Amino acid sequence: MTSSYSFRAELWRYPDESGWHFLTLPPEVGDDLRDEAAVFRKGFGSVRVTAEISGCTWQTSVFPDSKSRSYLLPVKKAVRDAAGISDGDDVAVRLAIQGEDEARTGERTSGTG
């Protein structure tokens, strides 16, 4: 069984020319995810997850962030466009840790991404 989380976070743009956008997981979600995903962590402490925003579901990884002491969820342009969200928006997110079998298949459940 995989753990799942629901939370709200502000979408922000990384301050360079790359255009990367992220959500910082709330500290309590980051703490729980760190504990629950210990056996699933990959290089640099990343954790494979399935994320959902406004009905758009995709698979990605969250990455540990030393500044916030939590994790960062990258939100690609296709998801931002489909969900109608942009820099500074408060976003509702559902996140589930991918178990080893699910991560290996790489199957997308629905939506854009």
Side-chain angles (χ1 to χ4, degrees):
M1 182 168 130
T2 59
S3 296
S4 61
Y5 308 92
S6 294
F7 60 91
R8 297 190 73 82
E10 182 179 332
L11 183 68
W12 57 275
R13 184 179 184 276
Y14 190 78
D16 71 4
E17 299 301 317
S18 68
W20 284 96
H21 285 72
F22 296 93
L23 294 165
T24 303
L25 278 60
E28 63 277 5
V29 174
D31 289 345
D32 287 349
L33 189 138
R34 187 176 295 107
D35 293 341
E36 293 288 326
V39 297
F40 301 118
R41 278 195 294 252
K42 302 293 182 193
F44 304 106
S46 65
V47 177
R48 295 282 302 160
V49 297
T50 299
E52 180 182 346
I53 296 174
S54 297
C56 300
T57 303
W58 77 104
Q59 293 182 337
T60 188
S61 292
V62 292
F63 301 90
D65 176 46
S66 59
K67 182 179 177 182
S68 68
R69 303 187 78 190
S70 187
Y71 285 85
L72 302 180
L73 171 67
V75 182
K76 57 189 173 181
K77 185 176 183 342
V79 172
R80 296 190 315 267
D81 288 349
I85 58 174
S86 60
D87 186 24
D89 287 349
D90 184 54
V91 179
V93 181
R94 287 183 37 182
L95 196 71
I97 298 171
Q98 289 184 12
E100 191 172 327
D101 292 338
E102 184 180 359
R104 191 175 325 146
T105 64
E107 292 182 13
R108 192 178 325 151
T109 55
S110 68
T112 303

